[in-house]
Amino acid sequence: MPSPSETVDYASIRFPSDRIDVAALRRAHPDRFDAEGGRRFADAGSDPTFFLDTIVYLERLLARSAFDHAAGRSANRQKGAGMSRSECLKDLTEFYQAYGVATGAKHTAQLVRGFEDQAAHQAGRRR
């Protein structure tokens, strides 16, 4: 079992996706909420506009990378996942805008720096 200093406590990090509520989901996916006989959430895996799992994955990927960097580990988790940090930010910008979390790329970058700093702090020092 890894020591606490080797693991990220994701539960203690305030992620931007925490702001996504049912109202945001309804605005982004009216066909699932506001249409009689609308598509079910069980079918979300086939819907390219329904990306909650991807948002959570990208946020944790960036948080873990910041944690590893602050801990002095050189693991580049984004590259291991086949994505650069800028690709993660680009995708998160689109998702955050769709769900009303961010207004654009600069706002997304600011939000990401916030949770990266929280993860880095857990590793014992700031980035």
Side-chain angles (χ1 to χ4, degrees), residues 19-118:
R19 300 180 196 158
I20 299 173
D21 59 13
V22 174
L25 293 170
R26 286 183 69 188
R27 282 189 299 275
H29 307 286
D31 61 316
R32 294 188 185 278
F33 287 91
D34 300 327
E36 191 70 39
R39 295 182 298 161
R40 296 180 36 159
F41 287 101
D43 303 328
S46 62
D47 183 351
T49 63
F50 197 74
F51 285 118
L52 291 178
D53 63 329
T54 304
I55 294 168
V56 170
Y57 172 76
L58 292 172
E59 288 176 337
R60 272 78 182 157
L61 181 66
L62 292 170
R64 181 59 195 228
S65 291
F67 179 91
D68 286 345
H69 179 73
R73 291 188 283 275
S74 62
N76 189 329
R77 295 191 184 268
Q78 292 102 342
K79 283 190 180 177
M83 299 183 77
S84 67
R85 184 174 186 278
S86 63
E87 289 170 319
C88 292
L89 288 172
K90 180 181 177 286
D91 288 350
L92 282 174
T93 297
E94 291 178 30
F95 301 146
Y96 287 172
Q97 285 182 291
Y99 293 113
V101 174
T103 56
K106 287 182 181 181
H107 189 195
T108 296
Q110 178 184 18
L111 294 172
V112 169
R113 279 192 303 275
F115 71 74
E116 286 175 329
D117 286 345
Q118 291 174 68

